Amino acid sequence: MNNTVATPRTLIDKIWDAHLVRAESADAPAILYIDLHLVHEVTSPQAFSELRGRGLKVRRPDRTLVTLDHSTPTLPAGTDGKLPYANAQTAQQVAQLEANCAEFGLELNGFGSGKRGVVHVMGPELGATQPGMTIVCGDSHTATHGAFGALAFGIGTTEVGHVLATQCLLQRRPKTMAVTVDGRLPAGVGAKDLILHIIGVLGVDGGTGHVIEYRGEAIRALSMEQRMTLCNMSIEAGARAGLVAPDQTTIDWLRGRPRVPQGEAFEAKAGEWLNLTSDTGARFNREIRIDAAQVAPTVTWGTNPGQVTAIDRAVPRAGDAQSERALAYMGFKGGHSLLGEKVDVVFIGSCTNGRLSDLREAADILRGRRIAAHVRMLVVPGSDQVKRQAEEEGLNEVFKAAGAEWREPGCSMCIAMNGDQVGPGQLAVSTSNRNFEGRQGPGARTVLASPATAAACALAGVIADPRSWGGMSDAA
Amino acid sequence: MTPIRRIESRVAVFSGENIDTDQIIPARFLTTTQREGLGQHCFADWRYDQEGKERPEFALHRPELRNAGVLLAGRNFGCGSSREHAPWALLDLGIQVVISTQIADIFRNNALKNGLLPIVVNAEQWQAIAGFETQTIAVDLERQQIELPDGQTIAFEVEGFARQCLLRGVDQLGYLLAESAAIDTFEKAA
Ligand code: SF4
């Protein structure tokens, strides 16, 4: 094209264009260069086998960040020094990744490194996640890294192999969607409530084929941790990814982290990063607006993350086969609010809400109180670093004094692969991201909620409104 | 990968919407380090009761559907996780084609890379196919059409590059590796 005035572009398109090894054509997808590849034990073994079978190396070990999180125990090693794995296969999966890292020359942020954590908590806290990057991982919640203005999305194991071997992916350009959140969130309402609300508006497949840019006053007011919670669940609306343009909040959060440039080099980089925005007048394929003032503490009532309700509002009456099935599975009645439903398990953790600020939010409600006697509460920090910081602040003591279990970092009850499970028929209030049937164990029933709501439910022993337990009064 | 041109098989109907990857292959079976053998766990919580006995009401347990290779599923099939174990498990169970009015992005991508054909049709076409539940239909990738027993045909789209790869049985890693000079150039310029 020979235009003298460049067409305004979205941030999504700018990042895309900057990573094209080859542009797409009618016959072939684009070859997209990947800046950072995150790897964990569940979706990588078959990819390493593929490389081994073909005699290939990992092209860029320096752009590959590896950790262990999904199948790892959250109880410490026993007196014999052995970790209490749920079964032989989970232990084998971890051993396999350790062996693969040794064989392919990859640094593993494993046990004893002090840096291990849920992959989407670890990448940002090390400063490996940076604005303008393309980031992938064999994990659908890779969208988390979009909080930094990166184009970050989940891939399958075959593609993990592609990135290991070539640092590239074959991709078609995604469609773009702007989700603008105007105004300010009310006191007592946080990022988790906001994203559940947004998924409720979009529906679980409303984002299919799109990458979302979250923008607007309410988004700018969010902390980095809150932006991560927000972007994390983009996939639950079917979107490939979600991102927030970098601003001073992003820069201040990144400064001094181990993997970012230091000193003057950082400030120079920061200047570049602040230019990463959608041009004025850039067109999105779809735009929606949300009024932040309308968002209340929000929970799910069904078996997908789009089945949401404000906590004090009635669950919709079953109108279709899908909601009927969901209500039957959950044992809830349409037309009533969930307040007062008996809770068996409370889980605080995951890549959605396992960061320090999430633990603080829960601890603020629990401090000096005891959880209901029949509730089992598990608090699982998102990473070694989160655990250390929480312990320095004494949050672990708050949780333990309240009657909760304080565990080692990992995915834990979010995916229930490591033995941390909700029992059949039990109702769990969980700060994770998926309430699918059986996600937290066969027959388990999951209500997704913010850390404040989860903590309030643990105290009350039933579904409870965090605002009546003094939760997040300054909406921080 | 074996080339795919035409599949003729019986149709099983799963009309539920938003069938997620945790239903297709529950997370507790993701502890494997292989691709093979996941078929026995596919839809585990729908197929077996708590004692591990087969539930007769599960569609694929109907005698005429034991070997069904085409799954006609409700809207937004495969939503949720990026686990490629989902298409691996379906293929291992004998499913070669998934047809729905919408298929989740990552699942579709993963399916195409493994020779499981994801096809999107509109609601009317979905109903037409559902009318032939348990019967044999043909899915012709070369002509990009579904052929129903009454002679009706339904055209479908598959991304051109993925289609060529499936028809010729080539895998995409080979294609990327052949571009390593271009990747070198990109890295040097960056
Ligand atoms: S915490 Fe849950 S959603 Fe996040 S990476 Fe782990 S299993 Fe996936």
Side-chain angles (χ1 to χ4, degrees):
Chain A
M1 276 204 292
N2 222 351
N3 292 355
T4 39
V5 182
T7 321
R9 286 184 301 164
T10 65
L11 173 57
I12 297 160
D13 287 311
K14 287 183 189 178
I15 301 177
W16 178 269
D17 293 342
H19 289 84
L20 288 175
V21 172
R22 262 194 214 297
E24 68 188 284
S25 66
D27 296 334
I31 299 180
L32 189 73
Y33 193 80
I34 302 304
D35 293 318
L36 177 65
H37 184 198
L38 302 152
V39 175
H40 65 77
E41 73 275 24
V42 178
T43 53
S44 67
Q46 299 86 350
F48 283 112
S49 302
E50 184 77 25
L51 262 64
R52 191 176 295 116
R54 293 179 176 230
L56 297 168
K57 290 198 186 81
V58 173
R59 183 181 175 99
R60 294 296 298 265
D62 58 324
R63 292 188 178 278
T64 312
L65 192 59
V66 194
T67 195
L68 299 163
D69 53 5
H70 284 64
S71 346
T72 56
T74 55
L75 287 169
T79 42
D80 56 358
K82 289 211 177 102
L83 288 163
Y85 283 100
N87 51 49
Q89 291 92 329
T90 51
Q92 160 61 22
Q93 206 165 46
V94 168
Q96 185 70 56
L97 186 52
E98 288 169 342
N100 284 335
C101 284
E103 180 183 343
F104 288 91
L106 300 174
E107 182 195 334
L108 171 65
N109 298 283
F111 291 103
S113 67
K115 292 185 285 187
R116 195 180 65 82
V118 178
V119 64
H120 312 306
V121 176
M122 181 198 70
E125 74 189 4
L126 292 178
T129 300
Q130 295 170 16
M133 281 184 163
T134 46
I135 302 179
V136 297
C137 174
D139 194 288
S140 59
H141 293 98
T142 308
T144 313
H145 307 265
F148 294 83
L151 181 60
F153 53 94
I155 56 177
T157 298
T158 299
E159 291 180 315
V160 169
H162 293 179
V163 181
L164 288 173
T166 69
Q167 204 60 32
C168 288
L169 279 177
L170 290 163
Q171 294 278 310
R172 292 270 173 199
R173 185 187 290 268
K175 289 191 231 147
T176 57
M177 185 189 304
V179 172
T180 306
V181 188
D182 299 308
R184 297 297 283 257
L185 291 170
V189 175
K192 182 64 164 289
D193 303 306
L194 174 60
I195 186 61
L196 287 171
H197 179 92
I198 292 173
I199 299 164
V201 171
L202 277 175
V204 276
D205 60 357
T208 306
H210 292 77
V211 173
I212 298 173
E213 181 180 340
Y214 299 98
R215 40 201 337 218
E217 188 191 349
I219 303 297
R220 296 265 74 94
L222 296 178
S223 69
M224 284 318 295
E225 277 91 352
Q226 291 174 320
R227 292 178 193 183
M228 285 188 253
T229 301
L230 177 83
C231 290
N232 172 276
M233 288 188 74
S234 304
I235 180 72
E236 308 315 334
R240 292 276 346 237
L243 53 76
V244 175
D247 57 13
Q248 201 55 45
T249 306
T250 321
I251 305 300
D252 293 342
W253 199 90
L254 284 171
R255 189 179 285 107
R257 299 211 172 243
R259 290 196 175 220
V260 298
Q262 305 295 327
E264 270 174 42
F266 179 83
E267 301 311 324
K269 256 295 180 217
E272 285 172 36
W273 288 339
L274 288 172
N275 282 326
L276 291 168
T277 54
S278 289
D279 294 328
T280 315
R283 295 269 290 275
F284 291 81
N285 296 102
R286 197 174 159 202
E287 302 198 31
I288 67 161
R289 293 196 97 92
I290 304 273
D291 178 3
Q294 298 304 314
V295 184
T298 301
V299 291
T300 58
W301 53 264
T303 52
N304 73 51
Q307 293 173 320
V308 299
T309 179
I311 195 159
D312 52 355
R313 296 274 287 274
V315 168
R317 286 178 200 282
D320 54 273
Q322 222 209 333
S323 353
E324 242 159 70
R325 184 190 158 104
L327 285 173
Y329 181 87
M330 293 302 293
F332 294 152
K333 272 218 305 250
H336 297 261
S337 96
L338 297 184
L339 293 173
E341 292 283 346
K342 180 166 171 268
V343 171
D344 304 295
V345 179
V346 170
F347 171 62
I348 299 212
S350 88
C351 58
T352 314
N353 285 126
R355 284 171 283 269
L356 187 63
S357 59
D358 301 310
L359 303 187
R360 285 181 184 151
E361 180 181 311
D364 282 347
I365 292 183
L366 294 172
R367 193 168 282 110
R369 293 168 167 155
R370 289 282 302 175
I371 64 171
H374 67 272
V375 170
R376 175 183 185 211
M377 182 174 187
L378 217 61
V379 185
V380 182
S383 69
D384 285 342
Q385 184 175 320
V386 170
K387 179 165 186 269
R388 267 196 312 275
Q389 290 174 328
E391 288 178 351
E392 278 162 23
E393 290 183 16
L395 301 184
N396 56 327
E397 296 306 332
V398 175
F399 292 123
K400 285 195 274 188
E405 299 172 50
W406 176 246
R407 293 291 187 94
E408 296 295 315
C411 296
S412 181
M413 234 178 226
C414 171
I415 189 163
M417 280 186 71
N418 73 333
D420 297 342
Q421 286 197 355
V422 177
Q426 285 194 322
L427 186 69
V429 177
S430 176
T431 66
S432 53
N433 43 53
R434 286 194 174 133
N435 53 339
F436 298 152
E437 288 180 24
R439 168 81 176 185
Q440 298 192 289
R445 302 180 297 141
T446 301
V447 170
L448 300 177
S450 71
T453 302
C457 294
L459 291 174
V462 295
I463 304 267
D465 192 327
R467 292 168 296 194
S468 49
W469 292 84
M472 294 197 302
S473 40
D474 59 354
Chain B
M1 210 158 55
T2 10
I4 304 175
R5 292 186 171 272
R6 187 180 165 87
I7 292 156
E8 292 181 20
S9 189
R10 289 177 188 253
V11 186
V13 181
F14 282 26
S15 54
E17 293 182 1
N18 304 313
I19 294 175
D20 59 74
T21 47
D22 279 77
Q23 306 317 309
I24 301 170
I25 183 77
R28 60 187 183 281
F29 303 116
L30 305 186
T31 52
T32 178
T33 53
Q34 318 283 319
R35 289 170 192 250
E36 295 77 24
L38 286 163
Q40 54 178 319
H41 306 306
C42 193
F43 296 114
D45 293 336
W46 295 358
R47 266 164 86 190
Y48 310 108
D49 63 17
Q50 285 185 357
E51 276 86 60
K53 281 214 254 352
E54 283 192 356
R55 295 183 203 264
E57 70 274 19
F58 180 71
L60 298 176
H61 287 158
R62 292 165 60 178
E64 64 274 30
L65 287 178
R66 288 265 167 192
N67 298 315
V70 179
L71 190 63
L72 181 69
R75 187 179 168 80
N76 198 27
F77 184 83
C79 61
S81 122
S82 65
R83 61 188 71 161
E84 204 158 310
H85 310 67
W88 295 338
L90 287 163
L91 281 163
D92 199 40
L93 190 65
I95 303 294
Q96 296 167 280
V97 182
V98 174
I99 306 173
S100 175
T101 51
Q102 182 155 309
I103 297 178
D105 284 335
I106 309 183
F107 176 84
R108 194 194 55 229
N109 224 350
N110 285 340
L112 284 169
K113 298 231 167 17
N114 288 277
L116 173 70
L117 194 57
I119 297 178
V120 174
V121 295
N122 66 33
E124 205 178 308
Q125 295 167 333
W126 195 97
Q127 287 302 340
I129 302 166
F132 295 100
E133 180 170 19
T134 76
Q135 298 190 42
T136 299
I137 67 165
V139 176
D140 195 312
L141 179 60
E142 197 144 41
R143 296 189 184 157
Q144 293 186 253
Q145 65 182 25
I146 300 169
E147 299 161 17
L148 300 180
D150 64 355
Q152 272 189 81
T153 58
I154 295 170
F156 62 82
E157 295 287 322
V158 181
E159 196 272 317
F161 181 78
R163 176 168 166 271
Q164 282 305 326
C165 290
L166 290 174
L167 284 171
R168 298 202 309 244
V170 297
D171 80 297
Q172 302 182 3
L173 178 54
Y175 177 90
L176 275 172
L177 286 166
E179 292 283 353
S180 50
I183 303 171
D184 287 342
T185 310
F186 181 91
E187 283 182 335
K188 285 201 193 92

